[in-house]
Amino acid sequence: MEKFTNYIQDSTLRIMLVDTDSLKVIRTLVSSDIFDGSIRQEVCSSIYSYYDKFKKSPTEEFVDYFFSKNKISKLSKVKQDLYESYLEKIYDMEPNKEYVLGKLSDCVQKHGIAKAVLEAADLVRKGNYDNIKDIIIEACRNRIDGQELGESFW
């Protein structure tokens, strides 16, 4: 599976921190486990948690929210410092939103298509061909930037 670069991952998290509209779309399509490493995954999960509670991007108050979480506060000082350094790094970024979301969208779509192909193979093995086209079409529509292959794929 093609992974997206560290820059795209970090930029995606930065965009999620400051742009509620982008976060709203990303939240529905991107699982935190698509990110590499426990720090990025925990930051993503915490951004999602904040959004689910307050219905907006966390912006400046995220650091306070993040470190007040029970799970983070129980970590060693060294690990807390790693999280703090990482958050400082992404807060200092100024990514090109269109570029980053396009790359993220490609990654999400490829991940979805790979998953759909495996699911379709399982259905073929079971002799159930009825839903295969719908599964593949839905995977092709799974994009953040609104572009899709849709019915024209077939």
Side-chain angles (χ1 to χ4, degrees):
M1 176 60 57
E2 178 181 320
K3 295 212 176 221
F4 56 117
T5 65
N6 291 335
Y7 174 76
I8 298 301
Q9 292 180 70
D10 296 341
S11 295
T12 298
L13 292 170
R14 172 65 173 140
I15 290 166
M16 290 165 53
L17 282 170
V18 299
D19 185 349
T20 300
D21 291 335
S22 294
L23 174 56
K24 191 181 306 182
V25 173
I26 293 168
R27 175 72 177 104
T28 63
L29 295 173
V30 179
S31 170
S32 62
D33 64 1
I34 200 170
F35 290 92
D36 292 336
S38 60
I39 291 177
R40 285 187 183 114
Q41 290 174 0
E42 184 61 37
V43 168
C44 181
S45 294
S46 296
I47 293 170
Y48 287 167
S49 171
Y50 185 96
Y51 175 77
D52 292 345
K53 185 172 184 176
F54 299 106
K55 302 298 182 219
K56 65 179 208 120
S57 288
T59 59
E60 300 301 320
E61 63 272 8
F62 180 71
V63 173
D64 183 64
Y65 176 80
F66 184 77
F67 283 102
S68 68
K69 289 179 67 178
N70 197 25
K71 185 166 142 183
I72 301 301
S73 64
K74 290 182 179 178
L75 293 175
S76 71
K77 176 72 171 127
V78 171
K79 286 189 178 180
Q80 286 184 22
D81 288 347
L82 287 173
Y83 278 100
E84 190 171 352
S85 294
Y86 180 71
L87 289 172
E88 286 175 10
K89 172 187 165 183
I90 62 174
Y91 267 109
D92 287 342
M93 297 178 78
E94 293 185 29
N96 177 327
K97 185 171 89 170
E98 288 178 29
Y99 174 80
V100 171
L101 294 181
K103 292 292 186 180
L104 175 63
S105 193
D106 290 344
C107 182
V108 167
Q109 187 177 48
K110 288 174 184 172
H111 180 76
I113 289 170
K115 183 178 173 185
V117 167
L118 294 174
E119 187 177 342
D122 189 45
L123 291 173
V124 168
R125 195 171 28 258
K126 293 176 182 175
N128 180 357
Y129 298 89
D130 297 336
N131 297 325
I132 292 175
K133 179 179 175 183
D134 293 336
I135 290 168
I136 299 296
I137 288 173
E138 186 59 32
C140 292
R141 289 183 175 152
N142 195 16
R143 289 189 60 88
I144 290 167
D145 59 9
Q147 299 174 4
E148 60 182 62
L149 298 175
E151 293 288 339
S152 64
F153 180 80
W154 299 97

